[in-house]
Amino acid sequence: MTEAQQSRQSIRAGEWTGPTVYKVPGFVQCNLAVLPRENAYDFLLYCQRNPRPCPLIDVTDAGDPEPKRAAPGADLRTDLPRYASYRQGAREEDATEIRALWKADSVGFLIGSSLTFDEALRRAGVPLSREVWVLDTAIPTVPAGKFSSTLVVTMRWMTPAQAVTACQLTGRFPFNHGAPIHLGDPSAIGADLEHPLYGPPVEKIPEGVMPIFWACGVTPQKAALTTRPALMITHAPGHAFITDIRADGFCLP
Amino acid sequence: MTEAQQSRQSIRAGEWTGPTVYKVPGFVQCNLAVLPRENAYDFLLYCQRNPRPCPLIDVTDAGDPEPKRAAPGADLRTDLPRYASYRQGAREEDATEIRALWKADSVGFLIGSSLTFDEALRRAGVPLSREVWVLDTAIPTVPAGKFSSTLVVTMRWMTPAQAVTACQLTGRFPFNHGAPIHLGDPSAIGADLEHPLYGPPVEKIPEGVMPIFWACGVTPQKAALTTRPALMITHAPGHAFITDIRADGFCLP
């Protein structure tokens, strides 16, 4: 049994309910979105049109909670440590399993997470940030049906030499957001460091480092929530799905 | 006006009706599939599940023939030099435009073509094959709805040293089929060189070269045709759609 399979077993048994950040290195982690079949075509199209924020790793058949490509035998209803759910766009209480919420027309979408390349950066000698900020920008994404959103990004900061390494290295992970979408001045992309979506407000970027921005998987969540679907279920922030896919073997699934 | 835009203008004007193979180097070329909206979700899902044979570059809104991401202002009904169409899976006569066949529920899918990396290989000093073979294999793809097919591949042969270059170089083009799916013995993937789908039969691989196999965009056509859709329109073989996307700038659109 691999570490990924062991971790999912602990999560399913309720022994692990905490975050997956920096856990089980070497395996691709995914964000989850569960939508009813009636919203699935537009959401799939939205992801296709915006592959940098929405790199799709797996999409389940309607009603079937098994992500057959990413983790055969896994169950999306029980194998994430913590779920967030939204009715008509309003967040409900978090849950540690969603068996009762999963319907015959539920479609599960797994979207590659940048947690995958954090480990690759660390291994390449780029120190992990204490913080990874999540910020909204003024960059529009390409709409599909009712789905539209500005691009949400993650921000890390590092030295220019580390940034060069990061550009090359993360470009090797196109299914985990790929290369950065911007380097340097946050205002050039309309990002407001004093008002991040997650992470502490930043008044001034420290000397000697520059901010680097990657497309973020919060984007498709934001696009979906603006349509106020009857029910949308996602992973809780930082509590991702651990797949069987080896990050280093992974160019295309 | 770029060379890509000029080429589409000539094609639309009916001045260019020949193949696009090795033409307009530097711009991503795409295979076309047009299906009715009722088949579009399953086809989109099939492509998502099989990104190596089916790397989607653009999907149009139903009824709208403009591929807004790949080539703003272009028209998929007129801007390919030659079209093949299939009714209930049976091929009709080819056409040089499809205005009368395009319906209010037509959805156009543009799928990255390996013609893009042929140019990159040439520039890297790997001589272009006189032939590119297309072969069926015994490798199953992941089904979606009614869509399923074995994996169809292209084959090129080259020296082992060139093969090493080709593996590295084509891996940089994940949206044009990416790295090879196999090197060496054709029988290991069930490919029969004496009975290629396109290209002359091969009795014996010449001394000093080895065959290299890439996933091929004929795969989704084959998957779609087995469902016998009322009408499916594709590019005629070798007559692809020339996008505005620069091949060398292209990791993710």
Side-chain angles (χ1 to χ4, degrees):
Chain A
M1 197 181 276
T2 66
E3 275 183 90
Q5 290 166 326
Q6 277 167 357
S7 68
R8 291 198 305 269
Q9 201 171 64
S10 307
I11 289 166
R12 190 184 295 195
E15 297 154 15
W16 173 346
T17 56
T20 57
V21 181
Y22 303 148
K23 304 282 186 190
V24 201
F27 291 91
V28 169
Q29 293 197 19
C30 285
N31 297 333
L32 172 71
V34 181
L35 284 166
R37 172 65 181 84
E38 62 173 351
N39 302 118
Y41 181 71
D42 284 347
F43 191 69
L44 191 50
L45 202 54
Y46 182 78
C47 292
Q48 189 282 319
R49 290 178 176 171
N50 298 284
R52 298 187 82 154
C54 320
L56 275 176
I57 304 285
D58 206 350
V59 180
T60 65
D61 285 321
D64 182 353
E66 181 187 359
K68 293 194 171 64
R69 286 170 71 226
D75 187 329
L76 293 180
R77 301 171 301 178
T78 53
D79 294 359
L80 284 82
R82 193 177 179 90
Y83 298 82
S85 54
Y86 301 82
R87 282 188 198 276
Q88 316 287 351
R91 186 159 171 181
E92 310 250 286
E93 209 173 325
D94 284 0
T96 55
E97 54 93 357
I98 54 162
R99 268 178 289 223
L101 297 176
W102 185 273
K103 306 295 181 195
D105 73 340
S106 292
V107 179
F109 295 82
L110 290 174
I111 294 169
S113 161
S114 61
L115 297 177
T116 303
F117 66 61
D118 276 332
E119 165 61 16
L121 286 170
R122 189 195 60 73
R123 221 170 43 216
V126 178
L128 293 177
S129 306
R130 264 181 315 161
E131 292 285 348
V132 176
W133 287 265
V134 177
L135 298 151
D136 205 355
T137 72
I139 300 172
T141 58
V142 187
K146 289 184 296 181
F147 293 87
S148 68
S149 173
T150 49
L151 180 68
V152 178
V153 295
T154 54
M155 181 185 85
R156 294 156 180 80
W157 59 40
M158 52 189 76
T159 67
Q162 290 166 347
V164 173
T165 297
C167 287
Q168 296 177 76
L169 193 148
T170 61
R172 288 186 47 229
F173 295 88
F175 283 80
N176 299 279
H177 305 302
I181 59 109
H182 181 58
L183 310 173
D185 181 12
S187 71
I189 56 169
D192 179 358
L193 267 54
E194 292 184 24
H195 300 92
L197 299 177
Y198 301 102
V202 177
E203 280 185 24
K204 197 178 171 305
I205 292 164
E207 285 294 318
V209 296
M210 64 193 299
I212 323 286
F213 302 87
W214 279 267
C216 172
V218 170
T219 312
Q221 275 190 29
K222 195 181 158 211
L225 288 174
T226 57
T227 71
R228 306 176 78 75
L231 178 64
M232 176 178 183
I233 309 164
T234 72
H235 67 292
H239 297 67
F241 178 73
I242 299 161
T243 71
D244 285 342
I245 301 166
R246 300 273 178 179
D248 287 310
F250 187 59
C251 277
L252 291 169
Chain B
M1 195 181 276
T2 66
E3 275 183 89
Q5 290 165 326
Q6 276 167 356
S7 68
R8 291 198 305 268
Q9 202 171 63
S10 309
I11 290 166
R12 192 184 295 194
E15 297 154 15
W16 173 345
T17 55
T20 57
V21 181
Y22 303 147
K23 303 284 185 187
V24 201
F27 291 91
V28 169
Q29 295 198 18
C30 285
N31 297 333
L32 173 70
V34 181
L35 284 166
R37 172 67 182 82
E38 64 173 348
N39 302 117
Y41 181 73
D42 284 347
F43 191 69
L44 192 49
L45 201 55
Y46 182 77
C47 291
Q48 190 283 319
R49 289 178 176 171
N50 298 284
R52 298 188 83 154
C54 320
L56 275 176
I57 304 285
D58 206 350
V59 181
T60 66
D61 286 323
D64 182 354
E66 181 187 0
K68 292 193 172 66
R69 287 170 71 225
D75 187 330
L76 293 180
R77 300 170 303 178
T78 54
D79 294 359
L80 285 83
R82 195 179 177 88
Y83 298 83
S85 54
Y86 301 82
R87 283 188 197 276
Q88 315 286 353
R91 187 159 172 181
E92 309 251 287
E93 208 174 326
D94 284 1
T96 55
E97 54 93 0
I98 54 162
R99 268 178 289 223
L101 297 176
W102 185 275
K103 306 295 180 195
D105 73 340
S106 292
V107 179
F109 295 83
L110 289 175
I111 294 169
S113 160
S114 62
L115 297 177
T116 302
F117 66 60
D118 275 332
E119 165 61 17
L121 286 170
R122 188 196 60 74
R123 223 170 42 219
V126 177
L128 294 177
S129 305
R130 266 181 315 161
E131 294 284 349
V132 176
W133 287 264
V134 177
L135 298 151
D136 204 358
T137 72
I139 301 172
T141 58
V142 186
K146 288 184 297 179
F147 293 86
S148 68
S149 173
T150 49
L151 180 68
V152 179
V153 295
T154 55
M155 180 185 86
R156 294 157 180 78
W157 58 42
M158 51 189 77
T159 68
Q162 291 166 346
V164 173
T165 297
C167 287
Q168 296 177 77
L169 194 149
T170 61
R172 289 185 47 227
F173 296 89
F175 283 81
N176 299 278
H177 304 302
I181 59 108
H182 182 58
L183 309 173
D185 181 13
S187 71
I189 56 170
D192 178 358
L193 266 54
E194 292 184 25
H195 299 93
L197 299 177
Y198 301 101
V202 177
E203 280 187 24
K204 195 176 173 304
I205 293 163
E207 285 294 315
V209 296
M210 65 194 298
I212 323 287
F213 302 87
W214 280 269
C216 173
V218 170
T219 312
Q221 276 191 25
K222 194 180 160 212
L225 288 174
T226 56
T227 70
R228 307 176 76 75
L231 178 64
M232 176 178 184
I233 309 164
T234 71
H235 67 292
H239 297 65
F241 178 73
I242 300 163
T243 72
D244 285 343
I245 302 167
R246 300 271 179 181
D248 286 311
F250 188 57
C251 277
L252 291 170

